[in-house]
Amino acid sequence: MDFPVISDAQIQAMAGERSFERGLEYFESGMVESVLQRGNMIQAVVCGSEDYLYDVAVHTKNAEQISTQCTCPYDYGPICKHSVAVLLFLLYCPEQVVQRPPIRATLDELDDSQIRSLLLDVAEQHPEITTLVEQHIERLGF
């Protein structure tokens, strides 16, 4: 799936002037380190101040329905400078975006025992996954 084409003006409207300016500086300085697309989801890593790495996720349905999440502590407006930098990267460097199949397609290739093994390995490495799995199971009524 191609990422919807959005303009600088749309990104600036989403972010506000200050976040847009800072995000443009980050983009132009090469702070966007990696960008991966899986279907309508983008995952990116942006180098912040003091070389701290921030994870940015962009979800989209179309050019009017774009949302971003970033691991930075920004809470002063709709989107942060790291998200702006990623959106600008998508606009100006689409050929550098690594394409991968959606995770559903990847999991569909595994059998039940492989999925179980994968989930156990990931939960062992990331204990917060265990909590998410337990919450999901409770919502399902098990």
Side-chain angles (χ1 to χ4, degrees):
M1 175 183 160
D2 291 325
F3 189 83
V5 176
I6 58 173
S7 68
D8 283 2
Q10 287 173 292
I11 298 169
Q12 187 169 4
M14 290 172 62
E17 188 173 335
R18 182 70 180 139
S19 283
F20 181 81
E21 288 173 7
R22 296 287 291 136
L24 180 59
E25 290 172 16
Y26 271 53
F27 168 69
E28 290 176 341
S29 298
M31 304 297 266
V32 179
E33 295 203 352
S34 65
V35 181
L36 172 72
Q37 182 173 6
R38 291 182 185 277
N40 65 351
M41 186 180 76
I42 305 288
Q43 296 170 283
V45 176
V46 179
C47 186
S49 53
E50 299 181 27
D51 295 328
Y52 191 83
L53 298 178
Y54 294 102
D55 296 317
V56 176
V58 180
H59 302 273
T60 181
K61 291 186 180 184
N62 55 50
E64 288 78 39
Q65 294 180 303
I66 297 172
S67 63
T68 65
Q69 294 175 303
C70 182
T71 56
C72 77
Y74 179 81
D75 64 354
Y76 305 105
I79 64 173
C80 68
K81 60 190 173 191
H82 310 105
S83 296
V84 169
V86 171
L87 292 172
L88 290 169
F89 188 94
L90 293 170
L91 178 61
Y92 291 108
C93 306
E95 71 285 350
Q96 294 181 39
V97 176
V98 176
Q99 299 290 323
R100 297 271 168 80
I103 194 67
R104 178 176 297 279
T106 302
L107 291 174
D108 284 346
E109 295 178 10
L110 303 176
D111 64 32
D112 288 349
S113 66
Q114 291 170 317
I115 292 172
R116 181 191 271 311
S117 177
L118 171 68
L119 183 56
L120 290 171
D121 288 346
V122 169
E124 190 173 290
Q125 294 173 23
H126 303 277
E128 68 276 10
I129 296 292
T130 301
T131 302
L132 293 172
V133 169
E134 289 171 343
Q135 290 171 347
H136 189 77
I137 290 171
E138 285 177 20
R139 283 195 304 271
L140 292 174
F142 293 104

